[in-house]
Amino acid sequence: MTKKKSALNVMKGIDAPETVSKDAAKRFLAKRKKDLNVDETVKGILSGNISVLSLAITLIESNLPKHQVIAKNIIEKCLPYSGNSIRVGITGVPGVGKSTFIEALGIYLINKGHKLAVLAIDPSSEQSGGSILGDKTRMEQLSADKNAFIRPSPSSGSLGGVARKTRESIILCEAAGFDTIFIETVGVGQSETKVHSMVDFFLLLMLAGAGDELQGIKRGIMEMADTIIINKADGNNVHKAKLAQKEYENALHLFPPTQSGWTPDVLLTSAVNSTGIEDVWLNIKKYQKLTSKNGYWLQNRHRQAKFWMHETILESLKSNFYNDAVRKKQIKEFEKNVLEGKISPFEAAQELLDKYFKF
Ligand code: GDP
């Protein structure tokens, strides 16, 4: 078997196949500048037009109030056509092999006739607008396939805002006919919690022998995992990977039982050689079968819907509070006073809030 190219290699660009003619895309864009028609966009999405889907997600990601209104209408109209997919979260530290793994599993799924959308949440966008996930050429083969749709993380805003946008993009992808959605994130912090709250199944990729400390994986993240995958189980690493598998199995036994009635498994894969990939998919299907039967699948989705309602309220209040020019000035003054010891942080916060609510 020939060794697959790494997802890290920057290769000569492959042009993504066109799902609509260039002319049609141009016509759509020209029209969009004048007046973006919600019904037409929804029609485009429902017919599986990837260019239209991309544009609609761009509107979701836009911070312009005008775009947000249109995006809201599009989401509302797509909502009845959404929900019909398996949503899988995938996390792990940089270098563990997430993109290589997603490419291998993605190609396996597409060969089985699935349509796959890969969305990402990059926690680094919050601080720097930069990215841990997106700077390399990723998933070359998958991105060239017309049955795959790969969208990098929304590139700016708070983590909460970025996650909400991804949550909304899932709805559009499902309406466009994608039956499998992967949400990728980096295993370093709070972004897992966000991803966990929008997926049906959560995969944690680990390496053998790196030590949990080294991998920066917190116990909380392990507890969220429905399956742990030890990747890079190939070559000289196979023995170590098997030992790690046993260790993690033992560790998982010490965790409290899950609400879903599912016992997390520890699986071995080699993403570069595409081994163990099918077992991961069968594992996810097994989970779907079990939790559909015992009712957890739907319960979880309902809980998530409530969670996102409250998240959206919080996010909206936060941005409304902080994005006002007059208030920005007040905040600066209060910060100064806090630092000079003229007022306590709590009193300052209360006064700022009082001003906000009186306004
Ligand atoms: P990410 O940062 O988690 O997305 O990791 P990448 O998919 O970019 O992989 C990081 C490096 O690990 C690349 O050089 C890959 O070729 C390599 N890699 C990924 N999966 C495997 C694997 O299963 N076995 C081996 N030996 N290397 C792998």
Side-chain angles (χ1 to χ4, degrees):
M1 188 167 149
T2 53
K3 209 178 172 215
K4 284 223 176 84
K5 290 192 178 87
S6 154
L8 257 187
N9 287 349
V10 177
M11 290 175 269
K12 264 191 241 147
I14 300 168
D15 288 330
E18 298 208 20
T19 45
V20 282
S21 76
K22 273 206 175 98
D23 280 350
K26 258 193 207 155
R27 274 201 304 276
F28 185 87
L29 272 168
K31 222 173 176 182
R32 180 194 158 197
K33 276 186 196 138
K34 276 187 257 145
D35 173 30
L36 193 85
N37 181 319
V38 171
D39 287 336
E40 212 171 299
T41 309
V42 172
K43 213 167 119 195
I45 292 171
L46 294 181
S47 70
N49 185 324
I50 300 221
S51 305
V52 178
L53 174 65
S54 271
L55 281 172
I57 293 181
T58 307
L59 289 174
I60 289 180
E61 290 172 358
S62 165
N63 290 325
L64 289 181
K66 188 176 127 199
H67 289 167
Q68 287 173 356
V69 172
I70 304 169
K72 204 174 106 240
N73 288 333
I74 295 171
I75 294 163
E76 286 302 316
K77 295 202 167 176
C78 283
L79 207 55
Y81 305 94
S82 71
N84 240 344
S85 77
I86 298 189
R87 304 165 184 168
V88 180
I90 297 170
T91 193
V93 292
V96 71
K98 289 181 298 300
S99 16
T100 317
F101 172 81
I102 291 173
E103 173 135 288
L105 181 55
I107 288 162
Y108 165 82
L109 289 172
I110 279 165
N111 287 339
K112 279 176 70 84
H114 290 280
K115 281 188 78 180
L116 170 70
V118 182
L119 309 174
I121 292 183
D122 193 332
S124 55
S125 59
E126 186 166 37
Q127 289 106 31
S128 58
S131 96
I132 304 176
L133 284 169
D135 281 348
K136 49 194 176 172
T137 308
R138 312 169 79 239
M139 304 170 224
E140 293 273 343
Q141 239 183 308
L142 205 55
S143 41
D145 197 298
K146 70 175 172 25
N147 289 315
F149 174 71
I150 298 180
R151 181 87 184 184
S153 175
S155 58
S156 67
S158 65
L159 179 58
V162 165
R164 179 182 49 76
K165 290 167 184 179
T166 304
R167 174 76 166 80
E168 292 173 348
S169 303
I170 293 178
I171 295 168
L172 302 198
C173 289
E174 289 175 345
F178 290 93
D179 57 53
T180 314
I181 317 270
F182 287 172
I183 316 286
E184 179 191 5
T185 196
V186 178
V188 287
Q190 322 91 315
S191 59
E192 284 78 13
T193 319
K194 301 278 181 214
V195 172
H196 188 248
S197 64
M198 62 178 88
V199 297
D200 304 307
F201 192 90
F202 197 68
L203 281 173
L204 169 62
L205 265 65
M206 307 276 274
L207 294 173
D212 294 354
E213 232 39 84
L214 239 178
Q215 296 190 47
I217 295 292
K218 300 197 175 71
R219 186 193 146 105
I221 298 176
M222 266 182 75
E223 267 181 285
M224 272 189 257
D226 294 303
T227 280
I228 292 180
I229 291 175
I230 316 281
N231 190 39
K232 306 197 185 183
D234 46 47
N236 294 334
N237 216 14
V238 174
H239 180 63
K240 259 198 323 194
K242 283 186 177 159
L243 287 177
Q245 184 180 31
K246 282 270 158 298
E247 273 176 35
Y248 283 118
E249 275 169 359
N250 291 337
L252 286 174
H253 277 138
L254 301 175
F255 286 179
T258 56
Q259 284 177 358
S260 57
W262 168 259
T263 314
D265 283 306
V266 185
L267 303 176
L268 301 181
T269 58
S270 167
V272 277
N273 296 333
S274 289
T275 51
I277 298 298
E278 180 166 38
D279 286 344
V280 174
W281 185 243
L282 295 178
N283 193 256
I284 295 173
K285 295 298 286 179
K286 202 167 119 193
Y287 175 90
Q288 187 186 25
K289 202 170 161 196
L290 174 92
T291 56
S292 300
K293 221 169 146 188
N294 70 15
Y296 183 80
W297 184 272
L298 214 57
Q299 259 172 38
N300 188 38
R301 285 215 173 171
H302 287 163
R303 200 179 44 225
Q304 291 178 340
K306 272 201 279 184
F307 172 84
W308 283 100
M309 187 185 90
H310 292 291
E311 276 285 298
T312 308
I313 293 172
L314 290 178
E315 190 58 36
S316 184
L317 281 172
K318 198 166 135 190
S319 74
N320 193 276
F321 181 86
Y322 283 105
N323 289 340
D324 177 82
V326 176
R327 193 159 309 102
K328 276 185 190 164
K329 231 176 116 202
Q330 288 171 351
I331 292 173
K332 280 255 166 304
E333 279 165 24
F334 273 90
E335 277 176 353
K336 194 166 158 271
N337 289 342
V338 168
L339 293 187
E340 288 172 1
K342 290 182 183 154
I343 187 169
S344 80
F346 313 104
E347 231 181 294
Q350 194 54 54
E351 281 192 33
L352 280 164
L353 285 168
D354 286 346
K355 283 179 197 291
Y356 175 71
F357 284 115
K358 259 186 226 140
F359 183 62

